[in-house]
Amino acid sequence: MKIGFLYAGQGSQAVGMGKDLYDEYPEFKAVMDSVSLPFDVKDICFNGPAEILNETKYTQPCMVAFAVGVTKILAARGIKPDMAAGLSLGEYSALNAAGVLSDSQVVELVAFRGQSMQEAVSGRDCKMIAVLGLERDKIYEGCRMVAEEFKDKELNVAEPANFNCPGQITVSGDAEPVDRAAEIFKELGAKRCVAVKVSGPFHTSLMKPAGDKLRERFKTESFGEMQIPVIFNAIGKEKPADTTVEELLEKQVQSSVFFEDTIRYMAENGVDTFVEIGPGKTLSKFVSKTLADAKVYGVEKKEDVDALVQALGQAE
């Protein structure tokens, strides 16, 4: 058995997340109590309100603190990953699991990242859609057509954001060209185009200001040695020898996430058991739609920890 941890990204957060884990597990409680930011991550996670939790600058540190805490719970029970990855924001949690980012460092970094992403497109009318049932090459074709059609307009961005799994790709950018892209995708054979509720055009060129800020912030950070392989969003594989973690994180915030490629890469390199860490089961569904025979578990609540320990045969 080879275990891959997958860390959930922004969008799966829910008020109340982690409250039962905080009450039950000292490892989780220690992580949440140690977070030091200008706002109360623990209170926002447990009590919301949703309008606050769903703001990018709050969502990101809340999600990562949750992930770090769950990783500690599982490690204390002998469950550790052989490989790790995360969807967008979740990549930072994967780097924490791999020893690259410390517990306090990773929460502070994503708080900075969330603030930078929120500021990057403040006041801009943006939109994301999930395109269902259309091949990757036709997504690129549709986005090229929109780029040509809107080339003389100020708001002209519609770009592939997330290649999640077979038949599900998101496209994001300015509202008008994204709406036009939806029309074109349907003409090209898409089954449906569904609006996705997000607070910004993540993983598009509109996030370049956030990428620039991250690049400068990384100059002040010390990154640890990678203890297990991390599969990076921006390339769908491990870090090449001639590329730094910092470069891939800067690229990630402003370019497509190749999550389907990530899942396939992990499977090709022996991962047969995937553990999703985070609220919801979004990544588990992506794995199931990508790989027919993989074992998939999700950890969000105490009963999930119990079920995983029993399934993987680890000792309490």
Side-chain angles (χ1 to χ4, degrees):
M1 179 174 60
K2 194 169 184 178
I3 299 173
F5 278 11
L6 298 176
Y7 291 92
Q10 189 167 341
S12 60
Q13 69 274 3
V15 173
M17 65 184 197
K19 181 62 170 66
D20 64 327
L21 302 178
Y22 182 87
D23 292 339
E24 181 71 22
Y25 299 107
E27 302 90 355
F28 191 91
K29 184 177 188 298
V31 169
M32 299 301 286
D33 286 348
S34 68
V35 173
S36 179
L37 290 173
F39 48 90
D40 190 337
V41 164
K42 185 169 57 180
D43 183 57
I44 294 172
C45 283
F46 299 165
N47 303 311
E51 292 77 14
I52 298 297
L53 178 60
N54 292 339
E55 285 189 43
T56 297
K57 64 181 180 181
Y58 299 124
T59 309
Q60 298 201 12
C62 286
M63 286 288 292
V64 169
F66 177 97
V68 172
V70 172
T71 302
K72 298 289 189 187
I73 293 171
L74 298 183
R77 283 147 188 80
I79 301 174
K80 299 180 181 181
D82 298 295
M83 193 174 286
L87 180 68
S88 185
L89 165 69
E91 188 161 281
Y92 285 75
S93 300
L95 288 166
N96 169 257
V100 177
L101 300 173
S102 71
D103 297 348
S104 59
Q105 180 187 27
V106 71
V107 175
E108 291 170 5
L109 268 179
V110 298
F112 178 84
R113 179 181 185 265
Q115 181 71 39
S116 299
M117 291 172 71
Q118 191 160 311
E119 291 171 352
V121 289
S122 178
R124 190 159 180 154
D125 188 15
C126 299
K127 190 171 187 177
M128 177 182 282
I129 57 172
V131 186
L132 307 180
L134 197 64
E135 298 83 1
R136 191 176 294 197
D137 60 342
K138 290 187 178 180
I139 294 289
Y140 283 121
E141 179 185 350
C143 287
R144 283 194 296 269
M145 293 169 67
V146 171
E148 177 62 26
E149 189 173 321
F150 282 77
K151 65 181 180 182
D152 296 325
K153 296 187 177 183
E154 183 179 356
L155 304 180
N156 57 15
V157 174
E159 298 170 358
N162 296 75
F163 294 91
N164 290 325
C165 62
Q168 186 182 128
I169 299 168
T170 68
V171 170
S172 189
D174 295 305
E176 187 180 355
V178 169
D179 284 337
R180 176 60 181 140
E183 296 173 353
I184 292 174
F185 294 143
K186 289 174 184 175
E187 293 169 4
L188 293 174
K191 293 178 181 178
R192 284 193 300 155
C193 294
V194 182
V196 178
K197 189 176 181 180
V198 294
S199 56
F202 305 143
H203 304 293
T204 71
S205 58
L206 293 177
M207 284 290 125
K208 185 179 184 303
D212 292 343
K213 289 181 180 179
L214 283 169
R215 182 178 64 251
E216 293 305 308
R217 173 64 182 260
F218 292 151
K219 292 177 181 178
T220 69
E221 300 286 338
S222 295
F223 285 35
E225 291 295 320
M226 199 173 296
Q227 304 300 313
I228 59 169
V230 171
I231 316 308
F232 287 86
N233 287 182
I235 54 177
K237 57 185 179 182
E238 294 177 62
K239 180 184 76 66
D242 61 349
T243 305
T244 67
V245 170
E246 295 93 322
E247 288 170 339
L248 289 172
L249 291 177
E250 178 191 342
K251 180 178 181 180
Q252 183 236 54
V253 78
Q254 58 192 303
S255 62
S256 300
V257 168
F258 293 98
F259 202 71
E260 178 186 341
D261 304 64
T262 294
I263 295 168
R264 294 190 187 281
Y265 183 92
M266 294 173 80
E268 289 165 3
N269 285 274
V271 172
D272 55 10
T273 302
F274 292 85
V275 177
E276 177 178 2
I277 294 175
K281 304 291 187 237
T282 298
L283 305 189
S284 298
K285 293 175 182 176
F286 292 165
V287 173
S288 297
K289 290 179 180 179
T290 304
L291 305 172
D293 54 356
K295 294 178 182 177
V296 188
Y297 303 91
V299 179
E300 178 181 358
K301 299 181 178 295
K302 179 187 180 301
E303 53 263 35
D304 300 325
V305 175
D306 295 339
L308 184 64
V309 169
Q310 184 174 6
L312 299 187
Q314 304 293 335
E316 283 284 356

